[in-house]
Coordinates of all heavy atoms in Angstrom, one line a residue:
M1 N -11.5 -14.6 -14.2 CA -11.3 -13.5 -13.2 C -10.7 -14.1 -12.0 O -11.1 -15.1 -11.4 CB -12.7 -12.9 -13.0 CG -12.5 -11.5 -12.4 SD -14.1 -10.7 -12.5 CE -14.2 -10.0 -10.9
A2 N -9.7 -13.3 -11.4 CA -9.1 -13.8 -10.2 C -10.0 -13.7 -9.0 O -10.9 -12.9 -9.0 CB -7.9 -12.9 -9.9
P3 N -9.8 -14.6 -8.0 CA -10.7 -14.5 -6.8 C -10.5 -13.2 -6.1 O -9.4 -12.7 -6.0 CB -10.2 -15.8 -6.0 CG -8.9 -16.1 -6.6 CD -8.9 -15.7 -8.0
E4 N -11.5 -12.7 -5.6 CA -11.4 -11.4 -4.9 C -11.0 -11.4 -3.5 O -10.4 -10.5 -3.0 CB -12.8 -10.7 -5.0 CG -13.2 -10.3 -6.4 CD -12.3 -9.2 -6.9 OE1 -12.2 -8.2 -6.3 OE2 -11.7 -9.3 -8.0
G5 N -11.2 -12.6 -2.8 CA -10.9 -12.6 -1.4 C -11.9 -11.9 -0.5 O -12.8 -11.2 -1.0
K6 N -11.7 -12.1 0.7 CA -12.6 -11.4 1.8 C -11.8 -10.3 2.5 O -10.7 -10.5 2.9 CB -13.0 -12.6 2.7 CG -14.2 -12.2 3.5 CD -14.7 -13.5 4.3 CE -15.2 -13.1 5.6 NZ -14.8 -13.9 6.7
K7 N -12.5 -9.2 2.7 CA -11.9 -8.1 3.4 C -11.5 -8.5 4.8 O -12.4 -9.0 5.6 CB -12.9 -7.0 3.4 CG -12.5 -5.6 3.9 CD -13.6 -4.6 3.8 CE -13.2 -3.3 4.3 NZ -14.2 -2.2 4.0
L8 N -10.3 -8.2 5.2 CA -9.8 -8.5 6.5 C -10.5 -7.5 7.5 O -10.5 -6.3 7.2 CB -8.3 -8.4 6.6 CG -7.5 -9.5 5.8 CD1 -6.1 -9.1 5.7 CD2 -7.7 -10.8 6.4
S9 N -10.8 -8.0 8.7 CA -11.5 -7.1 9.7 C -10.5 -6.1 10.3 O -10.9 -5.1 10.9 CB -12.1 -7.9 10.8 OG -11.1 -8.7 11.4
D10 N -9.2 -6.3 10.2 CA -8.2 -5.4 10.8 C -8.1 -4.1 10.1 O -7.6 -3.2 10.6 CB -6.8 -6.1 10.7 CG -6.8 -7.5 11.3 OD1 -7.4 -8.4 10.6 OD2 -6.1 -7.7 12.3
N11 N -8.5 -4.0 8.8 CA -8.3 -2.8 8.0 C -9.0 -1.7 8.7 O -10.1 -1.8 9.2 CB -9.0 -3.0 6.6 CG -8.2 -4.0 5.7 OD1 -7.1 -3.8 5.3 ND2 -8.9 -5.1 5.5
E12 N -8.4 -0.5 8.7 CA -9.0 0.7 9.1 C -10.2 0.9 8.1 O -10.0 0.8 6.9 CB -8.1 1.9 9.1 CG -8.8 3.1 9.7 CD -8.0 4.4 9.6 OE1 -7.4 4.7 8.5 OE2 -8.0 5.2 10.6
Q13 N -11.3 1.3 8.7 CA -12.4 1.6 7.8 C -12.1 2.7 6.8 O -11.5 3.7 7.1 CB -13.7 2.0 8.6 CG -14.9 2.0 7.9 CD -16.1 2.1 8.7 OE1 -16.0 2.4 9.9 NE2 -17.3 1.9 8.2
G14 N -12.5 2.4 5.5 CA -12.3 3.4 4.5 C -12.1 2.8 3.2 O -12.4 1.6 2.9
K15 N -11.6 3.6 2.3 CA -11.5 3.3 0.8 C -10.7 2.1 0.5 O -11.1 1.2 -0.3 CB -11.0 4.5 0.1 CG -10.7 4.3 -1.4 CD -10.1 5.6 -2.0 CE -9.5 5.3 -3.3 NZ -10.2 6.0 -4.4
Y16 N -9.5 2.0 1.2 CA -8.6 0.9 0.8 C -8.6 -0.3 1.8 O -8.9 0.0 3.0 CB -7.2 1.4 0.8 CG -6.9 2.4 -0.3 CD1 -6.8 3.7 -0.1 CD2 -6.8 2.0 -1.7 CE1 -6.5 4.6 -1.1 CE2 -6.6 2.8 -2.7 CZ -6.5 4.2 -2.4 OH -6.2 5.1 -3.4
Y17 N -8.4 -1.5 1.4 CA -8.4 -2.6 2.3 C -7.6 -3.8 1.7 O -7.4 -3.8 0.5 CB -9.8 -3.1 2.6 CG -10.7 -3.5 1.4 CD1 -10.7 -4.9 1.1 CD2 -11.4 -2.6 0.7 CE1 -11.5 -5.3 0.0 CE2 -12.2 -3.0 -0.3 CZ -12.2 -4.3 -0.7 OH -13.0 -4.7 -1.8
V18 N -7.2 -4.7 2.5 CA -6.5 -5.9 2.1 C -7.4 -7.1 2.4 O -8.2 -7.1 3.3 CB -5.2 -6.1 2.9 CG1 -4.5 -7.4 2.6 CG2 -4.2 -4.9 2.7
T19 N -7.3 -8.1 1.5 CA -8.2 -9.2 1.6 C -7.4 -10.4 2.2 O -6.2 -10.3 2.3 CB -8.8 -9.7 0.3 OG1 -7.8 -10.3 -0.5 CG2 -9.4 -8.5 -0.5
D20 N -8.1 -11.4 2.5 CA -7.5 -12.7 3.1 C -6.6 -13.4 2.1 O -6.1 -14.5 2.5 CB -8.6 -13.5 3.8 CG -9.6 -14.1 2.8 OD1 -9.5 -13.7 1.6 OD2 -10.5 -14.8 3.2
L21 N -6.5 -13.0 0.9 CA -5.5 -13.6 0.0 C -4.1 -13.2 0.2 O -3.2 -13.7 -0.4 CB -5.9 -13.3 -1.5 CG -7.3 -13.9 -1.9 CD1 -7.7 -13.4 -3.3 CD2 -7.4 -15.3 -1.7
C22 N -3.9 -12.2 1.1 CA -2.6 -11.8 1.4 C -1.7 -12.9 2.0 O -2.1 -13.7 2.8 CB -2.6 -10.6 2.5 SG -1.0 -10.1 3.1
D23 N -0.4 -12.9 1.5 CA 0.5 -14.0 2.0 C 1.6 -13.5 2.9 O 2.5 -14.2 3.2 CB 1.1 -14.8 0.8 CG 2.0 -13.9 -0.1 OD1 2.2 -12.7 0.3 OD2 2.5 -14.5 -1.1
G24 N 1.5 -12.2 3.2 CA 2.4 -11.6 4.2 C 3.8 -11.3 3.6 O 4.8 -11.2 4.3
C25 N 3.9 -11.1 2.3 CA 5.2 -10.8 1.7 C 5.8 -9.5 2.1 O 7.0 -9.4 2.1 CB 5.1 -10.9 0.2 SG 4.3 -9.4 -0.6
G26 N 5.0 -8.5 2.5 CA 5.5 -7.3 3.0 C 5.8 -6.2 2.0 O 6.3 -5.1 2.4
L27 N 5.6 -6.5 0.8 CA 5.9 -5.5 -0.3 C 5.2 -4.2 -0.1 O 5.7 -3.1 -0.3 CB 5.6 -6.0 -1.7 CG 6.8 -6.5 -2.5 CD1 6.3 -7.0 -3.9 CD2 7.9 -5.5 -2.7
C28 N 3.9 -4.3 0.3 CA 3.1 -3.1 0.5 C 3.7 -2.2 1.6 O 3.7 -1.0 1.4 CB 1.7 -3.5 0.8 SG 1.5 -4.6 2.3
F29 N 4.1 -2.8 2.6 CA 4.8 -2.1 3.8 C 6.0 -1.3 3.3 O 6.2 -0.2 3.7 CB 5.1 -3.1 4.8 CG 5.4 -2.4 6.2 CD1 4.6 -1.5 6.8 CD2 6.6 -2.8 6.8 CE1 4.9 -1.0 8.1 CE2 6.9 -2.3 8.0 CZ 6.1 -1.4 8.7
S30 N 6.7 -1.9 2.4 CA 7.9 -1.2 1.9 C 7.6 0.0 1.0 O 8.4 0.9 0.8 CB 8.8 -2.2 1.1 OG 8.3 -2.6 -0.1
K31 N 6.4 0.0 0.4 CA 6.0 1.1 -0.5 C 5.2 2.1 0.3 O 5.2 3.3 -0.1 CB 5.1 0.5 -1.6 CG 5.8 -0.5 -2.5 CD 6.9 0.2 -3.3 CE 7.5 -0.8 -4.2 NZ 8.7 -0.2 -4.9
A32 N 4.5 1.8 1.3 CA 3.6 2.7 2.0 C 3.7 2.4 3.5 O 2.8 1.9 4.1 CB 2.2 2.6 1.5
L33 N 4.8 2.8 4.1 CA 5.1 2.6 5.6 C 4.0 3.2 6.5 O 3.7 2.6 7.5 CB 6.4 3.2 5.9 CG 7.7 2.4 5.7 CD1 8.9 3.2 6.0 CD2 7.7 1.1 6.6
Q34 N 3.5 4.3 6.1 CA 2.5 5.0 6.9 C 1.2 4.3 7.0 O 0.3 4.5 7.9 CB 2.3 6.4 6.5 CG 3.5 7.3 6.4 CD 4.2 7.4 7.8 OE1 3.5 7.5 8.8 NE2 5.5 7.5 7.8
N35 N 0.9 3.4 6.0 CA -0.4 3.0 5.7 C -0.7 1.5 5.9 O -1.8 1.1 6.0 CB -0.9 3.4 4.3 CG -0.7 4.9 4.1 OD1 0.3 5.3 3.5 ND2 -1.6 5.7 4.6
F36 N 0.4 0.7 5.9 CA 0.2 -0.7 6.1 C 0.9 -1.2 7.4 O 1.8 -0.6 7.9 CB 0.8 -1.5 4.9 CG 0.0 -1.3 3.7 CD1 0.4 -0.3 2.8 CD2 -1.1 -2.2 3.4 CE1 -0.4 -0.2 1.6 CE2 -1.8 -2.0 2.2 CZ -1.4 -1.1 1.3
M37 N 0.4 -2.2 8.0 CA 0.9 -2.8 9.2 C 0.8 -4.3 9.1 O -0.2 -4.8 8.4 CB 0.2 -2.3 10.4 CG 0.8 -2.7 11.8 SD 2.6 -2.6 11.9 CE 2.9 -0.8 11.8
Y38 N 1.6 -5.0 9.8 CA 1.5 -6.5 9.8 C 0.8 -7.0 11.0 O 0.7 -6.3 12.0 CB 3.0 -7.1 9.8 CG 3.9 -6.5 10.7 CD1 4.0 -6.8 12.0 CD2 4.8 -5.5 10.2 CE1 5.0 -6.3 12.9 CE2 5.7 -4.9 11.0 CZ 5.8 -5.3 12.3 OH 6.7 -4.7 13.2
S39 N 0.2 -8.2 10.8 CA -0.6 -8.8 11.9 C 0.4 -9.2 13.0 O 1.6 -9.3 12.8 CB -1.4 -10.0 11.3 OG -0.4 -11.0 10.9
N40 N -0.2 -9.7 14.1 CA 0.6 -10.0 15.3 C 1.6 -11.2 15.0 O 2.7 -11.2 15.4 CB -0.3 -10.5 16.4 CG -1.0 -9.3 17.1 OD1 -0.5 -8.2 17.0 ND2 -2.1 -9.5 17.7
D41 N 1.1 -12.1 14.1 CA 2.0 -13.2 13.8 C 2.7 -13.0 12.4 O 3.4 -13.9 11.9 CB 1.2 -14.5 13.8 CG 0.1 -14.5 12.7 OD1 0.0 -13.5 12.0 OD2 -0.6 -15.6 12.6
S42 N 2.6 -11.8 11.9 CA 3.3 -11.4 10.6 C 2.8 -12.2 9.4 O 3.5 -12.3 8.4 CB 4.8 -11.5 10.7 OG 5.2 -10.7 11.8
S43 N 1.7 -12.9 9.5 CA 1.3 -13.8 8.4 C 0.5 -13.0 7.4 O 0.3 -13.5 6.3 CB 0.4 -14.9 9.0 OG -0.8 -14.4 9.5
Y44 N 0.1 -11.8 7.7 CA -0.6 -11.0 6.7 C -0.4 -9.5 7.0 O 0.0 -9.1 8.2 CB -2.1 -11.3 6.5 CG -2.9 -11.1 7.8 CD1 -3.5 -9.9 8.1 CD2 -3.0 -12.1 8.7 CE1 -4.2 -9.7 9.2 CE2 -3.7 -11.9 9.9 CZ -4.3 -10.7 10.1 OH -5.0 -10.5 11.3
Y45 N -0.7 -8.6 6.1 CA -0.7 -7.2 6.3 C -2.1 -6.6 6.1 O -3.0 -7.3 5.5 CB 0.3 -6.5 5.3 CG 1.7 -6.7 5.7 CD1 2.3 -8.0 5.7 CD2 2.5 -5.6 6.1 CE1 3.6 -8.1 6.0 CE2 3.9 -5.8 6.5 CZ 4.4 -7.1 6.4 OH 5.7 -7.3 6.8
F46 N -2.3 -5.4 6.6 CA -3.6 -4.8 6.4 C -3.4 -3.3 6.4 O -2.3 -2.7 6.7 CB -4.5 -5.2 7.6 CG -4.0 -4.8 9.0 CD1 -4.4 -3.6 9.6 CD2 -3.2 -5.7 9.7 CE1 -3.8 -3.3 10.9 CE2 -2.7 -5.4 10.9 CZ -3.0 -4.2 11.5
V47 N -4.5 -2.6 6.0 CA -4.4 -1.1 5.9 C -4.6 -0.6 7.3 O -5.7 -0.7 7.9 CB -5.5 -0.6 5.0 CG1 -5.6 1.0 5.0 CG2 -5.3 -1.0 3.5
Y48 N -3.5 -0.1 7.8 CA -3.5 0.4 9.2 C -4.0 1.9 9.3 O -4.6 2.2 10.2 CB -2.0 0.4 9.6 CG -1.7 1.1 10.9 CD1 -2.1 0.4 12.1 CD2 -1.1 2.3 11.0 CE1 -1.8 1.0 13.3 CE2 -0.7 2.9 12.3 CZ -1.1 2.2 13.4 OH -0.9 2.8 14.6
Q49 N -3.8 2.6 8.2 CA -4.2 4.0 8.2 C -4.6 4.4 6.7 O -3.8 4.2 5.8 CB -3.1 4.9 8.7 CG -3.5 6.4 8.6 CD -2.3 7.3 9.1 OE1 -2.2 7.4 10.3 NE2 -1.6 7.8 8.2
Q50 N -5.8 4.9 6.5 CA -6.2 5.4 5.2 C -5.3 6.6 4.9 O -4.8 7.2 5.8 CB -7.6 5.8 5.2 CG -8.6 4.6 5.5 CD -8.6 3.6 4.4 OE1 -8.4 3.9 3.2 NE2 -8.9 2.3 4.7
P51 N -5.1 6.9 3.6 CA -4.2 8.0 3.2 C -4.7 9.3 3.8 O -5.9 9.6 3.8 CB -4.3 8.0 1.7 CG -5.5 7.2 1.3 CD -5.7 6.2 2.4
T52 N -3.8 10.1 4.2 CA -4.1 11.4 4.8 C -3.8 12.5 3.8 O -4.1 13.7 4.0 CB -3.5 11.7 6.1 OG1 -2.0 11.6 5.9 CG2 -3.9 10.7 7.2
D53 N -3.1 12.2 2.7 CA -2.8 13.2 1.7 C -2.5 12.5 0.4 O -2.5 11.3 0.3 CB -1.6 14.1 2.1 CG -0.3 13.2 2.4 OD1 -0.2 12.1 1.9 OD2 0.5 13.7 3.3
E54 N -2.2 13.3 -0.7 CA -2.1 12.7 -2.0 C -0.8 11.8 -2.1 O -0.8 10.8 -2.8 CB -1.9 13.8 -3.0 CG -3.3 14.5 -3.4 CD -3.1 15.6 -4.4 OE1 -2.1 15.6 -5.1 OE2 -4.0 16.4 -4.5
R55 N 0.2 12.1 -1.3 CA 1.4 11.3 -1.4 C 1.1 9.9 -0.8 O 1.5 8.9 -1.4 CB 2.5 12.0 -0.6 CG 3.7 11.2 -0.7 CD 4.9 11.8 0.0 NE 5.9 10.8 0.1 CZ 7.0 10.9 0.8 NH1 7.3 12.0 1.4 NH2 7.9 9.9 0.8
E56 N 0.4 9.9 0.3 CA 0.1 8.5 0.8 C -0.9 7.8 -0.1 O -0.7 6.6 -0.2 CB -0.5 8.7 2.2 CG 0.5 9.1 3.3 CD -0.1 9.2 4.7 OE1 -1.2 8.8 4.9 OE2 0.7 9.7 5.6
D57 N -1.7 8.5 -0.7 CA -2.6 7.9 -1.6 C -1.8 7.3 -2.8 O -2.1 6.1 -3.2 CB -3.7 8.9 -2.2 CG -4.8 8.2 -2.9 OD1 -5.7 7.7 -2.2 OD2 -4.8 8.1 -4.1
A58 N -0.8 8.0 -3.3 CA 0.0 7.5 -4.4 C 0.8 6.3 -3.9 O 1.0 5.3 -4.7 CB 0.9 8.6 -4.9
D59 N 1.3 6.4 -2.7 CA 2.1 5.2 -2.1 C 1.2 3.9 -2.1 O 1.7 2.9 -2.4 CB 2.5 5.5 -0.7 CG 3.7 6.6 -0.7 OD1 4.3 6.8 -1.7 OD2 3.9 7.1 0.4
I60 N 0.0 4.1 -1.7 CA -0.9 2.9 -1.6 C -1.2 2.4 -3.0 O -1.2 1.2 -3.3 CB -2.2 3.3 -0.9 CG1 -1.9 3.5 0.6 CG2 -3.2 2.1 -1.0 CD1 -3.1 4.0 1.4
R61 N -1.4 3.4 -4.0 CA -1.7 2.9 -5.3 C -0.4 2.1 -5.9 O -0.6 1.1 -6.6 CB -1.9 4.1 -6.3 CG -3.0 5.0 -5.9 CD -4.4 4.4 -5.8 NE -4.9 3.8 -7.0 CZ -6.2 3.3 -7.1 NH1 -7.0 3.5 -6.1 NH2 -6.6 2.8 -8.2
E62 N 0.8 2.6 -5.5 CA 1.9 1.9 -5.9 C 2.0 0.5 -5.3 O 2.3 -0.5 -5.9 CB 3.2 2.6 -5.6 CG 4.4 2.0 -6.2 CD 5.7 2.7 -6.0 OE1 5.6 3.9 -5.4 OE2 6.8 2.2 -6.4
A63 N 1.7 0.4 -4.0 CA 1.6 -0.9 -3.3 C 0.6 -1.8 -4.0 O 0.9 -3.0 -4.3 CB 1.2 -0.7 -1.8
M64 N -0.5 -1.3 -4.4 CA -1.5 -2.1 -5.1 C -0.9 -2.7 -6.4 O -1.2 -3.8 -6.8 CB -2.7 -1.2 -5.5 CG -3.6 -0.9 -4.3 SD -4.9 0.3 -4.8 CE -6.1 -0.9 -5.5
S65 N -0.1 -1.8 -7.1 CA 0.4 -2.2 -8.4 C 1.5 -3.3 -8.3 O 1.7 -4.0 -9.3 CB 1.0 -1.0 -9.2 OG 2.2 -0.6 -8.6
V66 N 2.1 -3.4 -7.1 CA 3.2 -4.4 -7.0 C 2.7 -5.6 -6.2 O 3.5 -6.6 -6.1 CB 4.5 -3.8 -6.4 CG1 5.0 -2.7 -7.3 CG2 4.2 -3.3 -4.9
C67 N 1.6 -5.6 -5.5 CA 1.2 -6.7 -4.7 C 1.0 -8.0 -5.5 O 0.2 -8.1 -6.4 CB -0.2 -6.3 -4.0 SG -0.9 -7.7 -3.2
P68 N 1.8 -9.0 -5.2 CA 1.8 -10.2 -6.0 C 0.5 -11.0 -5.9 O 0.2 -11.8 -6.8 CB 3.0 -11.0 -5.4 CG 3.5 -10.4 -4.2 CD 2.8 -9.0 -4.1
Q69 N -0.3 -10.8 -4.9 CA -1.5 -11.5 -4.7 C -2.7 -10.7 -5.2 O -3.9 -11.2 -5.2 CB -1.8 -11.9 -3.2 CG -0.7 -12.7 -2.6 CD -0.6 -14.1 -3.3 OE1 -1.6 -14.6 -3.7 NE2 0.6 -14.6 -3.5
D70 N -2.5 -9.5 -5.7 CA -3.5 -8.6 -6.1 C -4.7 -8.5 -5.0 O -5.8 -8.6 -5.4 CB -4.1 -9.0 -7.4 CG -5.0 -8.0 -8.1 OD1 -4.8 -6.8 -7.8 OD2 -5.8 -8.3 -8.9
C71 N -4.2 -8.4 -3.8 CA -5.2 -8.4 -2.7 C -5.4 -7.1 -2.0 O -6.0 -7.0 -0.9 CB -4.9 -9.5 -1.7 SG -3.3 -9.3 -0.9
I72 N -4.8 -6.0 -2.5 CA -5.1 -4.7 -2.0 C -6.1 -4.1 -2.9 O -6.0 -4.0 -4.1 CB -3.8 -3.8 -2.0 CG1 -2.7 -4.4 -1.2 CG2 -4.2 -2.5 -1.4 CD1 -1.3 -3.8 -1.4
K73 N -7.2 -3.7 -2.3 CA -8.4 -3.3 -3.1 C -8.8 -1.9 -2.6 O -8.5 -1.4 -1.5 CB -9.6 -4.2 -2.8 CG -9.3 -5.6 -3.2 CD -9.0 -5.9 -4.7 CE -8.9 -7.3 -5.0 NZ -8.5 -7.5 -6.4
D74 N -9.6 -1.2 -3.5 CA -10.3 0.0 -3.1 C -11.8 -0.3 -3.3 O -12.2 -1.2 -4.0 CB -9.8 1.2 -3.7 CG -10.1 1.3 -5.2 OD1 -11.2 1.0 -5.6 OD2 -9.2 1.7 -5.9
D75 N -12.6 0.6 -2.7 CA -14.0 0.3 -2.8 C -14.6 0.8 -4.0 O -15.8 0.8 -4.2 CB -14.7 0.9 -1.5 CG -14.5 2.4 -1.4 OD1 -14.0 3.1 -2.4 OD2 -14.8 3.0 -0.4
G76 N -13.8 1.3 -5.0 CA -14.3 1.7 -6.3 C -14.9 3.1 -6.3 O -15.2 3.6 -7.4
V77 N -14.9 3.8 -5.2 CA -15.4 5.1 -5.2 C -14.3 6.1 -5.5 O -13.3 6.1 -4.7 CB -16.1 5.5 -3.8 CG1 -16.6 6.9 -3.8 CG2 -17.2 4.5 -3.5
L78 N -14.5 6.9 -6.5 CA -13.4 7.8 -6.9 C -13.5 9.0 -6.0 O -14.5 9.5 -5.7 CB -13.6 8.2 -8.3 CG -13.3 7.1 -9.4 CD1 -13.6 7.6 -10.8 CD2 -11.9 6.6 -9.3
V79 N -12.3 9.5 -5.6 CA -12.2 10.7 -4.8 C -11.6 11.8 -5.7 O -10.7 11.5 -6.5 CB -11.4 10.5 -3.5 CG1 -12.2 9.7 -2.5 CG2 -10.1 9.9 -3.7
A80 N -12.0 13.0 -5.4 CA -11.5 14.1 -6.3 C -10.0 14.4 -6.0 O -9.6 14.2 -4.9 CB -12.4 15.3 -6.0
Ligands
SF4_1 S1 2.0 -6.8 -1.0 FE1 0.0 -7.8 -1.0 S2 0.5 -10.0 -0.6 FE2 2.2 -8.7 0.0 S3 1.9 -8.3 2.2 FE3 1.1 -6.6 1.0 S4 -1.1 -7.0 0.7 FE4 -0.1 -8.9 1.3

C-alpha cells in the first residue's frame, strides 16, 4: 500500500485535503482553479477552498484522479 502522507495544515478545513507527499507539479490547480492554491514558495499545493457545488466537487475528483503523487485525499465521508 502506498504511503498516505500527512495532511498539510494549509488545507481549508473540510472533506478534501492534500498531504505532504505533494511535489508541487500543479496539475490539480489546472483541473480545479477555484479549489487549489500553491504555497508561498510554490513547492506544494493545498485545498484552498472546499467545493461549493457539484461542478467544483467533480473538478476536485478529477484532480485526484490525475495527481501523480496520489496525495489528494478525502476524509472518506460520503456526501449526498
Ligand atoms: S496534482 Fe498532486 S502532486 Fe501535483 S501539485 Fe496537485 S496535489 Fe501536488
Side-chain angles (χ1 to χ4, degrees):
M1 199 168 134
E4 290 292 308
K6 198 170 145 223
K7 185 176 182 175
L8 295 168
S9 59
D10 310 66
N11 293 291
E12 184 188 42
Q13 192 167 12
K15 175 181 164 113
Y16 294 106
Y17 60 94
V18 176
T19 76
D20 60 358
L21 297 177
C22 173
D23 67 2
C25 75
L27 258 182
C28 54
F29 192 54
S30 72
K31 298 294 182 187
L33 272 172
Q34 304 296 326
N35 306 100
F36 290 92
M37 183 48 66
Y38 42 85
S39 63
N40 286 338
D41 64 0
S42 301
S43 64
Y44 62 89
Y45 284 67
F46 57 93
V47 174
Y48 173 73
Q49 178 180 281
Q50 297 292 332
T52 57
D53 56 27
E54 284 182 17
R55 183 179 165 187
E56 287 184 10
D57 194 80
D59 287 345
I60 293 177
R61 304 301 300 189
E62 187 177 354
M64 288 174 82
S65 74
V66 299
C67 173
Q69 301 298 323
D70 193 24
C71 62
I72 305 170
K73 304 292 185 186
D74 68 43
D75 59 13
V77 178
L78 292 175
V79 288

